[in-house]
Amino acid sequence: MNDTWSTGWRRLAGTLLCLTLSGALLAACTEKAAEAPQPPAAGEQQPAQDEPAPEETAPPEAAEQEPAAYTAPLTGLPVEQPADKRPLAVMINNAPAARPQSGLSQADIVYEVLAEGGITRLIGIFQSRGAEETIGPIRSIRPYLIDLGESYGGVLVHAGGSNDAYAIIQRQHKEDLDEISNAGPYFWRDKSRKAPHNLYSSADKLREGADKRGYAEHVELKSYPFHDPADESVPEGEDAAGVDVTFLLQNYKVSYKYDTATKLYQRFINGKPHIDLNNNEQLTAANVIVLGADQKVLDDVGRLDIDVASGGKAVLLQRGKVLEGKWVRAKGDVIRFVKDGQEVPLYPGTTYFNIVPNAPSFDSHLQLLK
């Protein structure tokens, strides 16, 4: 019996020892597993480590672009100061010997119209731009040039004029600055060029001369409707890469070619870029208007009478499109482009008006570029 009890006790003690050792081994294995986690099986995603959640921040609000405080009435471009100065209507020589001219890139509006001999004259309307920059060469005036310049309320700037033009200026007491008769000190001659293609001035000097003569510094300014500068919509009209304009002489052709990168028309004369000598940059336009006008020859010299009041056919080129319409001009107003009786908004920038004869036909003076 003692042997039997002894044997049983030994078996129980061994069992208890095994259980104790197994528990210790299991605890050790569990602790080891916690210290060195096994990599996940192939194709199984490893659980992410617990990390503090990042603080949520609101996305930064897009900076709102403030609209321009002021807008130039003749270009629709933003300006830092009120554009309220009286315009200057400067007669600019466009004979081959006068090119390249200076200051045209600073004009708000440019008119091109025939003078004698088949060469055109340019009228630069300077209102919101140009200060110390040289402008010229400056040339003589004609009655229809008086009419166009005064339509903007501009001080007429010229050097001489036809007998008819002088008669109008003197009889109607026009406010003008004439290098020959009343404002010589506000012009200068460039010795590097031959007369009469060497007469220049600047907007600052011309305004000084206008003030000296007691001319009004401010007038009621004309303006045009403009598209919003941020407007990226395609204007109405047919596709056109530009236009060739022949005023009279076949060997004298003005071209405007659309540049999609700048959304401006580059100006050429006889296939060569028309350059502003001040900055050596090609002249450009946001809007190009070609309009037809009746004209007649007045004398043996070839001086012209051009009707710039009655209206007629016209085309407008902007943003690579051409639109057929009409030009109109109410009494005391500027020339405007209309379609179906409504004025068509322009795009901000310089506008070129090209006045061609109605004979033999308006369409014979322009060729659209595709």
Side-chain angles (χ1 to χ4, degrees):
M1 184 173 182
N2 289 339
D3 291 340
T4 301
W5 183 87
S6 177
T7 301
W9 173 252
R10 285 195 300 271
R11 288 177 178 175
L12 178 59
T15 298
L16 292 174
L17 179 60
C18 287
L19 290 173
T20 302
L21 292 173
S22 296
L25 288 172
L26 181 59
C29 290
T30 301
E31 183 177 355
K32 185 177 182 181
E35 292 175 355
Q38 296 297 313
E44 182 181 347
Q45 185 175 359
Q46 184 174 0
Q49 298 289 330
D50 290 337
E51 295 181 358
E55 294 183 4
E56 294 185 2
T57 57
E61 295 183 2
E64 294 184 2
Q65 187 173 4
E66 294 185 2
Y70 306 100
T71 302
L74 299 180
T75 67
L77 293 172
V79 290
E80 295 181 357
Q81 301 293 330
D84 57 359
K85 292 182 179 179
R86 184 178 185 177
L88 300 167
V90 185
M91 311 300 135
I92 298 179
N93 196 346
N94 197 33
R99 303 184 211 127
Q101 297 94 336
S102 299
L104 284 171
S105 62
Q106 296 298 306
D108 293 37
I109 301 283
V110 178
Y111 278 86
E112 183 165 15
V113 61
L114 278 166
E116 303 84 54
I119 299 298
T120 62
R121 186 136 302 162
L122 303 172
I123 309 175
I125 308 297
F126 295 83
Q127 196 276 322
S128 67
R129 300 181 292 190
E132 299 177 353
E133 293 88 354
T134 298
I135 299 173
I138 297 169
R139 205 68 168 92
S140 58
I141 200 165
R142 301 290 179 268
Y144 52 91
L145 304 180
I146 293 174
D147 197 353
L148 291 171
E150 279 203 320
S151 69
Y152 292 90
V155 174
L156 304 169
V157 179
H158 61 106
S162 66
N163 291 336
D164 289 342
Y166 265 131
I168 292 172
I169 290 172
Q170 293 169 3
R171 185 173 61 249
Q172 299 181 17
H173 305 288
K174 301 296 186 184
E175 296 191 338
D176 74 320
L177 295 173
D178 178 14
E179 186 263 348
I180 294 176
S181 67
N182 68 7
Y186 304 100
F187 297 78
W188 69 84
R189 296 276 175 179
D190 185 343
K191 295 181 180 179
S192 67
R193 284 190 167 185
K194 293 183 178 180
H197 312 296
N198 65 345
L199 182 66
Y200 295 89
S201 188
S202 69
D204 282 351
K205 285 196 72 69
L206 293 170
R207 295 190 189 282
E208 180 185 347
D211 183 64
K212 184 72 173 180
R213 293 191 60 80
Y215 297 158
E217 184 179 354
H218 301 282
V219 296
E220 182 180 353
L221 295 173
K222 305 298 192 297
S223 63
Y224 292 97
F226 288 96
H227 290 280
D228 188 301
D231 185 1
E232 297 294 333
S233 63
V234 178
E236 182 183 356
E238 301 294 328
D239 290 341
V243 64
D244 289 337
V245 182
T246 303
F247 289 84
L248 185 61
L249 302 177
Q250 292 300 318
N251 62 351
Y252 181 79
K253 182 174 65 177
V254 175
S255 302
Y256 298 90
K257 297 181 180 179
Y258 184 61
D259 178 24
T260 56
T262 62
K263 299 180 180 178
L264 298 174
Y265 291 87
Q266 299 172 331
R267 180 178 159 91
F268 298 79
I269 295 183
N270 290 331
K272 296 181 179 179
H274 194 171
I275 302 297
D276 187 330
L277 188 60
N278 285 351
N279 51 27
N280 204 35
E281 293 180 0
Q282 188 170 6
L283 299 176
T284 59
N287 312 279
V288 176
I289 297 174
V290 186
L291 56 111
D294 292 335
Q295 66 179 44
K296 61 182 179 180
V297 179
L298 296 176
D299 53 30
D300 294 339
V301 179
R303 294 187 179 93
L304 302 171
D305 176 31
I306 300 178
D307 183 353
V308 292
S310 297
K313 294 184 67 174
V315 297
L316 166 64
L317 289 96
Q318 48 185 202
R319 297 288 175 98
K321 298 285 186 178
V322 60
L323 186 64
E324 294 185 5
K326 295 181 178 181
W327 68 275
V328 299
R329 184 178 169 203
K331 185 177 180 180
D333 197 11
V334 296
I335 290 175
R336 299 181 183 275
F337 180 87
V338 300
K339 174 72 172 178
D340 299 327
Q342 298 293 322
E343 184 172 7
V344 178
L346 304 176
Y347 282 89
T350 302
T351 299
Y352 271 72
F353 289 86
N354 306 264
I355 303 177
V356 301
N358 276 330
S361 69
F362 168 70
D363 294 333
S364 68
H365 293 277
L366 64 151
Q367 181 178 358
L368 294 174
L369 307 177
K370 298 299 184 181

